[in-house]
Amino acid sequence: MIDMHCHILPGVDDGSPDMQESLAMAKKAVEAGITHLFATPHHLNERYVNVKNDIIDLLVEFNECLQQENIPLTVHPGQELRIHRELFVSLERGEVLTLDNNGKYLLLELPSGHVPTYTQELIYELLLKGITPIIVHPERNKELIKNHNLLFNLVQEGALTQLTSGSIIGLFGKNVKSFSKKILEHNLAHFIATDAHNVGSRGFSLQEAYETITKIYGIERTFYFKENVEQLIRGQSPAIVKPVQFKKKILGIF
Ligand SMILES: [Fe+2]
């Protein structure tokens, strides 16, 4: 399996603190059936700064360590970029790292409490530049939990989304699990990833999430998600199913 979002690089964010833990995470990933993953350190989320070249340098070093340790895992470059008004300045400065550094897909993180007013405009501008933003863990955003159609609007506009495996299996609580289910039912998810941070509670629960999806929606749905992330590794476009709008209930409350 392929995991497109995790914090495995050592000492750069709230994921792995050092190389020893990174290698332990890599072993756990392999045990969990993962062969390839994208290392996606936080960038500009109020605490961490990880620009493109720094990530790539560290990634080369990490892949060498994996080879020395005979751990059969291939790590690709990526970045989890917090949305900010000056995103295009960061792009011009060469600080932004798209998945596999191919200029096509970008992991975009919203603040956990709200969706900034300029989000739609920024997505539009990114798409114009040929970069498709993949909104990570929308199921954990408090404003989207209240206003589901805001997510529909972003997907309708052309953004893609990635659900976190732990959300699907209930590790983030009932509300997040329930919203994840609604996102799946309304065709508003395109990828599943672990967003792993450690070898403990935030680990590699990808297989468990796929099993849950298979049980509820059938094996074809799991194939859909697996195929989409494989397309990313190939540098090709994932399949996009038509998003379904949420019906408004009385008084506009979902
Ligand atoms: Fe993350």
Side-chain angles (χ1 to χ4, degrees):
M1 291 185 295
I2 302 165
D3 187 12
M4 63 181 279
H5 178 176
C6 74
H7 299 267
I8 197 168
L9 290 184
V12 290
D13 60 12
D14 57 344
S16 167
D18 51 41
M19 188 57 88
Q20 203 183 346
E21 174 85 1
S22 295
L23 292 171
M25 281 179 77
K27 284 180 191 158
K28 285 276 183 195
V30 171
E31 279 169 29
I34 293 165
T35 55
H36 295 71
L37 56 76
F38 286 88
T40 53
H42 287 290
H43 181 47
L44 297 178
N45 76 339
E46 291 156 13
R47 287 164 73 194
Y48 307 106
V49 173
N50 286 297
V51 299
K52 174 169 146 177
N53 287 346
D54 291 348
I55 296 171
I56 291 174
D57 288 350
L58 187 55
L59 184 90
V60 171
E61 193 189 321
F62 185 47
N63 268 325
E64 282 170 8
C65 284
L66 288 172
Q67 276 192 340
Q68 280 166 12
E69 298 286 324
N70 284 321
I71 300 173
L73 182 71
T74 306
V75 183
H76 296 249
Q79 181 188 55
E80 180 177 6
L81 178 67
R82 173 64 67 92
I83 194 168
H84 61 290
R85 281 187 189 276
E86 286 79 37
L87 194 144
F88 291 96
V89 177
S90 306
L91 253 180
E92 273 169 32
R93 284 194 192 133
E95 296 170 355
V96 171
L97 177 56
T98 52
L99 292 180
D100 253 344
N101 195 17
N102 65 13
K104 290 183 176 174
Y105 296 94
L106 178 72
L107 293 194
L108 188 67
E109 183 192 37
L110 300 171
S112 60
H114 70 289
V115 178
T117 50
Y118 58 85
T119 301
Q120 258 180 309
E121 193 184 326
L122 190 134
I123 288 171
Y124 177 76
E125 296 288 336
L126 277 172
L127 290 167
L128 276 186
K129 285 188 180 292
I131 300 174
T132 303
I134 301 173
I135 299 170
V136 298
H137 43 71
E139 76 281 5
R140 284 157 50 198
N141 180 282
K142 291 190 177 72
E143 188 170 348
L144 294 176
I145 289 174
K146 283 188 202 142
N147 183 357
H148 302 349
N149 271 328
L150 191 50
L151 182 62
F152 169 82
N153 292 341
L154 299 178
V155 172
Q156 180 81 338
E157 191 187 357
L160 303 180
T161 80
Q162 169 256 302
L163 287 181
T164 300
S165 54
S167 302
I168 294 165
I169 61 173
L171 299 183
F172 293 93
K174 265 191 204 165
N175 287 350
V176 170
K177 185 180 178 184
S178 149
F179 187 33
S180 301
K181 207 165 167 246
K182 288 180 187 170
I183 289 174
L184 288 165
E185 284 162 1
H186 289 75
N187 293 342
L188 296 173
H190 309 90
F191 305 97
I192 313 294
T194 67
D195 194 9
H197 279 66
N198 51 49
V199 291
S201 57
R202 299 282 303 270
F204 296 94
S205 53
L206 198 53
Q207 180 64 27
E208 293 91 324
Y210 282 142
E211 281 170 12
T212 302
I213 290 170
T214 300
K215 217 160 131 188
I216 303 174
Y217 307 102
I219 190 78
E220 289 303 318
R221 199 68 189 276
T222 294
F223 287 155
Y224 165 78
F225 288 119
K226 287 186 175 177
E227 177 67 19
N228 271 358
V229 75
E230 281 170 20
Q231 287 289 86
L232 289 183
I233 293 264
R234 295 182 196 116
Q236 291 174 9
S237 307
I240 297 166
V241 281
K242 195 175 182 311
V244 178
Q245 197 163 12
F246 287 90
K247 285 190 183 117
K248 285 192 176 175
K249 289 185 181 167
I250 299 166
L251 302 176
I253 298 165
F254 293 98

